[in-house]
Amino acid sequence: QISLVESGGGSVQSGGSLRLSCAASGYIYSTYCMSWFRQAPGKEREGVATIDTDGSTSYVDSVKGRFTISRDNRKSTLLLEMNSLKPEDTAMYFCSAGTRGGGRGYCRSFARYNYWGQGTQVTVSS
């Protein structure tokens, strides 16, 4: 059974930084697409960043240059480094996994992801 557990959320001021972690278990982590999503109050869940099994990454425009997604396949861990945080980054952040299929760029689509953690809250004050 796939388990994803996020940690590292908290409250920071605008311009601050946070590092989110996701501990994965119950499957062969290195063979899955991984991603981070977020959901702000009253809004739909949105994809933030993806990382493929080969380490290639993609980001939504709103976080490019500020967020960095990475994975450690030996430790089955997913990370999200968040810098220059803005109040609009305030949301519950979710780690997500998806079965790898298709060819190059397969993991870039946020529709590929169907396993979820419980989330960790990030609050950015102005």
Side-chain angles (χ1 to χ4, degrees):
Q1 183 175 352
I2 291 177
S3 173
L4 301 169
V5 180
E6 302 93 337
S7 61
S11 297
V12 297
Q13 290 191 326
S14 182
S17 299
L18 282 174
R19 185 190 193 200
L20 305 185
S21 297
C22 173
S25 62
Y27 67 108
I28 304 174
Y29 176 79
S30 61
T31 66
Y32 276 64
C33 302
M34 296 298 298
S35 65
W36 287 97
F37 283 71
R38 66 185 179 187
Q39 187 168 18
K43 295 187 177 181
E44 292 188 356
R45 188 175 298 187
E46 66 169 349
V48 174
T50 69
I51 186 164
D52 206 329
T53 54
D54 65 357
S56 58
T57 60
S58 66
Y59 301 88
V60 293
D61 287 345
S62 60
V63 307
K64 282 182 180 177
R66 301 189 298 122
F67 290 12
T68 302
I69 187 172
S70 61
R71 66 191 297 166
D72 186 335
N73 288 338
R74 291 175 301 174
K75 297 181 179 179
S76 297
T77 301
L78 181 72
L79 300 176
L80 185 68
E81 298 277 357
M82 304 187 295
N83 299 312
S84 302
L85 283 162
K86 305 174 181 180
E88 51 264 44
D89 294 319
T90 294
M92 184 74 77
Y93 282 72
F94 299 90
C95 170
S96 184
T99 305
R100 183 64 168 81
R104 183 179 179 182
Y106 183 89
C107 295
R108 290 175 176 263
S109 170
F110 290 115
R112 309 295 189 192
Y113 298 87
N114 52 3
Y115 298 99
W116 302 92
Q118 294 299 308
T120 185
Q121 178 67 38
V122 171
T123 303
V124 185
S125 58
S126 57

